[in-house]
Amino acid sequence: AEAKRQQQVWRWHAAGDVSARARQLGLLSGLESAADSAQLEMWLQPKLELASGQMRSVEALVRWRHPDWGYVAPSEFIPFAEQTGHIGIVTHAMLEQALSTLGRWKLTHPLLSIAVNVSTLDIRDTALPTRIAGMAARHGAPLDMLKLEITESGLMSHADAVMPVLRALCELGVKLSIDDFGTGYSSLSYLHRLPVSELKIDRSFVTQADGAPEAAALLGTIIELGHSLQLRVVAEGVERPEEHSLLQRLRCDEIQGYLIAKPMPLVDFERRLAAM
Ligand code: C2E
Ligand code: MG
Ligand code: MG
Ligand code: MG
């Protein structure tokens, strides 16, 4: 435990200057009250299904509306919250908002699912499935419209510990997606045993593929790998029309990125939905 704490201290020292560190510690200590006072907002970014041109799913991304610092990006507090065991606060806040939204959409947009990002710590918690089921019941939300995005590295680093939780979530009808695929190192034999239904290819592969034949071939191979495992394949970080058409040619199932839409507050998203 001491070695681990020391490692954390080292990471903080490596993370930047004193004021940046002070800000991060300040953020961390304010996380709990931020959740209580609704400062952790769920923003939504749509995904576009290429075959139908329809929006079937949106990703929930946290935005911290801080009273002193304005909007704080996840990159500024998620890694620290994970390292210090505080990530559950964020996860809980996002699940609450996602499930309450799904409860409301049941009548108006029953086919639209919401994907919430969760970290390794969350999916090593054996109480998570029951907690999610309880929240969904409270909000009258359909559990099969909830998706959880878990990074590839998170899944692979604790393969044995997460398997029972993944199975329990799956039995509830919750869908699972592997985020940032291609940046971790997956054991292919393990990958095909995971009860996941979706693979999200990391943005770096999309960016590189544009104009570079070898990189485009690699992207195509990853998509085929996903399909051969019966998974839906989503590409993230699509910014240019050329990337869109390449992914269409490569038979990617869904795309997400600034080209389609940037993440936006729930109210703005619902306004767009109503206008569609
Ligand atoms: P992610 O889950 O891979 O999400 C994709 C990130 O890329 C988001 O950044 C999104 O805003 C951004 N993005 C989307 N389209 C484009 C594009 O076309 N170009 C570029 N350059 N970027 C694009 P964001 O919202 O800053 O989140 C960063 C990461 O923080 C997420 O990566 C995820 O790992 C983590 N995160 C965000 N919200 C949560 C949360 O509620 N819980 C947890 N555990 N992690 C979260
Ligand atoms: Mg994600
Ligand atoms: Mg991702
Ligand atoms: Mg990412």
Side-chain angles (χ1 to χ4, degrees):
E2 175 55 25
K4 202 161 177 195
R5 196 194 61 82
Q6 194 55 45
Q7 216 179 352
Q8 226 160 56
V9 173
W10 276 104
R11 254 186 245 142
W12 276 330
H13 280 274
D17 56 51
V18 175
S19 62
R21 234 162 39 236
R23 176 171 150 126
Q24 267 154 349
L25 288 170
L27 283 171
L28 208 53
S29 64
L31 196 54
E32 191 115 33
S33 65
D36 291 341
S37 51
Q39 291 168 24
L40 301 181
E41 295 181 359
M42 176 182 76
W43 284 35
L44 295 174
Q45 185 183 31
K47 303 177 200 172
L48 178 74
E49 185 177 59
L50 288 173
S52 66
Q54 302 259 317
M55 184 191 355
R56 299 265 309 268
S57 178
V58 291
E59 178 175 9
L61 295 157
V62 67
R63 297 289 181 266
W64 185 345
R65 192 174 31 78
H66 196 281
D68 303 325
W69 292 319
Y71 277 107
V72 184
S75 58
E76 266 210 80
F77 62 95
I78 295 282
F80 281 92
E82 283 175 342
Q83 284 162 31
T84 56
H86 291 73
I87 191 67
I89 299 170
V90 179
T91 308
H92 188 267
M94 288 303 106
L95 284 170
E96 271 290 336
Q97 291 173 68
L99 288 166
S100 109
T101 304
L102 285 174
R104 286 191 296 107
W105 285 356
K106 198 167 50 177
L107 296 173
T108 51
H109 303 91
L111 300 178
L112 198 51
S113 69
I114 301 183
V116 172
N117 290 283
V118 295
S119 81
T120 340
L121 273 184
D122 297 314
I123 51 159
R124 282 161 65 192
D125 176 2
T126 52
L128 181 72
T130 321
R131 215 160 47 234
I132 289 182
M135 282 181 184
R138 224 173 347 98
H139 291 293
L143 275 171
D144 56 348
M145 287 294 119
L146 177 69
K147 197 178 285 177
L148 300 182
E149 294 191 5
I150 312 157
T151 60
E152 181 186 28
S153 51
L155 275 174
M156 298 301 155
S157 61
H158 295 92
D160 294 328
V162 301
M163 205 54 137
V165 179
L166 298 185
R167 286 216 191 89
L169 288 166
C170 212
E171 268 160 37
L172 289 174
V174 175
K175 306 287 184 298
L176 302 171
S177 171
I178 309 180
D179 205 351
D180 299 347
F181 186 79
T183 58
Y185 46 94
S186 277
S187 139
L188 291 179
S189 67
Y190 178 63
L191 189 62
H192 109 109
R193 283 176 25 230
L194 283 173
V196 298
S197 59
E198 180 185 280
L199 190 152
K200 274 188 99 173
I201 303 174
D202 191 66
R203 176 163 69 92
S204 56
F205 293 93
V206 176
T207 312
Q208 286 163 24
D210 192 5
E214 294 89 353
L218 177 59
L219 186 58
T221 303
I222 300 175
I223 293 169
E224 278 172 29
L225 169 69
H227 286 162
S228 70
L229 294 168
Q230 313 292 325
L231 303 175
R232 261 182 99 69
V233 181
V234 183
E236 63 177 23
V238 177
E239 294 181 351
R240 294 156 35 87
E242 292 80 1
E243 296 165 353
H244 180 165
S245 43
L246 173 66
L247 286 158
Q248 191 128 38
R249 276 204 305 283
L250 296 174
R251 306 210 174 283
C252 189
D253 299 296
E254 285 177 81
I255 61 172
Q256 183 184 30
Y258 295 167
L259 181 68
I260 314 301
K262 290 193 170 178
M264 63 191 97
L266 176 63
V267 284
D268 293 350
F269 180 77
E270 292 191 325
R271 210 171 288 138
R272 277 180 56 149
L273 270 183
M276 269 167 59

